[in-house]
Amino acid sequence: MAGILFNGHLFVSLFEHNQSPMADIDISVVIPVYNSGTILPELSSRLMEVMEGTGKKYELIFCDDCSRDNSWDVLRQIKEGNPGIITAIQLSKNYGQHNATLCGMSFARGKLVVTMDDDLQHPPDELPALLEAIDDPGIDVVYGTFRKKSHSMVRNAGSYSVRKASKHFLKGKGKGSSFRVIDRTIVDKILEHRQYFIFIDELILWYTDNISFVNVRHDKRKYSKSNYTGGRIWKLFSNLVFFYTSFPLKMMVYGGFVISVLTFLLGLQFILRKIFLDLPLGYASVIVAILFSTSIIILSLGIIGEYLRRMHQIQNNRPPFNIHKVL
């Protein structure tokens, strides 16, 4: 299985194999893993206990996003103890949470696909509430939303910024989480996307408005600190804005128009002062006007450059993930 790419025939044949009629799975639980070796035994045991209680056929899919700790060795042990339930995937490098989740989805065989984090802040015992909500025939996706998040101030601020960006720039609902249940039909459409940066919540909004929300508990992190640093959150935010919106370009257009009007009025003021008051235009005013206009041009060129860089990544068919091993 080593070297399977997302954008080639090997991926397509693997996906078709996972969707074969022999796979009679009701629920697939997909969990991206990064540096969670101490958490995985408890997470897997609690999940299996909850899923056994549903009475449905299920599978657990763990996608190791090139962890730096012993996560892969722990997943190997869990797989050996539960060979018919567990699928473990190891990526060849760190691609990020959404890309790792997408990789796990490509192996999912269930009629419903659950996604959740690996840190036990998404309590497995809250999962039945989400599964009950998606039983409504008119619902395609159910999000677990949290009454109160047990994150640090920086992480909460970052999550808030990303949600607000989704609401204002992407016309989203402004709430949601990575704790979700997705119908198979939506998952199949998501898997058609092969660009390097994947934001699953935005892709969901492209295909359905039949989304429901269920309030669930958000537990405190037991064993380690969050992997979402301020830098990672900023990178996610900027990628979200540049890959999925044209807001910076619109800002250039409207900002350029406003600045042009202001510059015209300022220039008109100096001309009138010269005509009626016979005042010198002045060296300072000329320098200020030049520096101001130059800074706007440089900013605009920078924004265009960011779009061109991301377009270049897409045109190069840079894969969203590459699989190193599969158990």
Side-chain angles (χ1 to χ4, degrees):
M1 289 293 183
I4 297 174
L5 290 176
F6 184 89
N7 60 342
H9 297 293
L10 288 177
F11 168 78
V12 175
S13 62
L14 174 65
F15 179 71
E16 290 174 350
H17 171 73
N18 282 340
Q19 300 305 314
S20 64
M22 296 176 62
D24 186 20
I25 302 294
D26 295 312
I27 303 170
S28 299
V29 183
V30 175
I31 304 171
V33 174
Y34 187 69
N35 293 346
S36 300
T38 56
I39 307 173
L40 290 172
E42 180 181 350
L43 172 62
S44 59
S45 64
R46 287 176 59 181
L47 264 175
M48 285 187 280
E49 181 180 354
V50 170
M51 295 308 299
E52 290 291 342
T54 64
K56 298 181 181 293
K57 294 184 179 180
Y58 69 95
E59 63 179 352
L60 305 183
I61 301 171
F62 295 91
C63 186
D64 180 19
D65 196 17
C66 199
S67 298
R68 298 179 181 179
D69 65 354
N70 65 335
S71 293
W72 181 247
D73 293 331
V74 174
L75 287 175
R76 190 192 304 274
Q77 295 171 8
I78 295 173
K79 168 67 177 178
E80 290 174 355
N82 306 275
I85 297 174
I86 304 294
T87 298
I89 310 157
Q90 186 182 43
L91 300 183
S92 60
K93 59 177 288 187
N94 182 259
Y95 287 92
Q97 179 183 10
H98 286 258
N99 294 50
T101 302
L102 184 74
C103 177
M105 284 180 173
S106 70
F107 283 81
R109 298 171 291 171
K111 300 169 187 175
L112 297 174
V113 176
V114 176
T115 67
M116 59 189 301
D117 291 349
D118 62 347
D119 53 12
L120 283 175
Q121 292 193 278
H122 296 166
D125 55 276
E126 293 279 15
L127 185 52
L130 274 64
L131 296 173
E132 181 180 355
I134 206 168
D135 280 342
D136 188 324
I139 299 299
D140 294 321
V141 181
V142 175
Y143 280 98
T145 56
F146 309 111
R147 307 177 191 95
K148 182 180 179 182
K149 283 193 170 185
S150 301
H151 283 316
S152 66
M153 185 179 298
V154 173
R155 176 68 188 277
N156 281 333
S159 298
Y160 177 82
S161 300
V162 172
R163 288 198 307 272
K164 288 300 179 183
S166 176
K167 181 176 182 179
H168 293 293
F169 300 149
L170 309 178
K171 306 304 180 184
K173 298 181 181 297
K175 57 182 179 178
S177 69
S178 53
F179 193 22
R180 29 173 136 73
V181 182
I182 312 173
D183 186 78
R184 177 83 248 171
T185 57
I186 303 299
V187 171
D188 291 342
K189 290 180 171 62
I190 291 173
L191 288 171
E192 295 175 1
H193 291 267
R194 303 179 183 182
Q195 64 266 32
Y196 173 68
F197 175 73
I198 296 293
F199 191 70
I200 293 173
D201 298 301
E202 171 62 6
L203 296 181
I204 288 172
L205 290 173
W206 287 6
Y207 294 111
T208 184
D209 284 329
N210 301 321
I211 299 173
S212 182
F213 301 90
V214 175
N215 285 328
V216 296
R217 192 175 76 254
H218 192 255
D219 288 344
K220 291 183 178 181
R221 182 181 291 268
K222 285 186 176 183
Y223 300 101
S224 59
K225 294 182 179 180
S226 172
N227 293 310
Y228 269 99
T229 61
R232 282 176 174 265
I233 293 173
W234 169 251
K235 183 179 180 181
L236 174 62
F237 177 83
S238 61
N239 280 335
L240 177 61
V241 171
F242 280 104
F243 272 108
Y244 287 100
T245 78
S246 59
F247 174 76
L249 293 175
K250 291 180 180 178
M251 184 179 67
M252 285 171 53
V253 173
Y254 297 129
F257 175 76
V258 171
I259 291 167
S260 298
V261 172
L262 294 176
T263 304
F264 173 78
L265 294 176
L266 182 62
L268 183 61
Q269 177 190 5
F270 284 120
I271 292 173
L272 293 176
R273 289 176 64 186
K274 178 65 177 177
I275 294 174
F276 295 105
L277 301 178
D278 196 26
L279 296 176
L281 291 178
Y283 175 79
S285 60
V286 174
I287 293 299
V288 169
I290 293 174
L291 293 177
F292 185 70
S293 59
T294 302
S295 64
I296 297 302
I297 292 172
I298 293 174
L299 174 63
S300 300
L301 289 175
I303 292 174
I304 294 173
E306 282 298 313
Y307 274 101
L308 290 175
R309 183 173 71 86
R310 285 161 171 78
M311 289 171 62
H312 182 261
Q313 289 179 337
I314 294 173
Q315 290 299 320
N316 280 344
N317 291 324
R318 186 177 178 183
F321 58 81
N322 182 54
I323 298 172
H324 180 56
K325 293 179 181 178
V326 177
L327 301 178

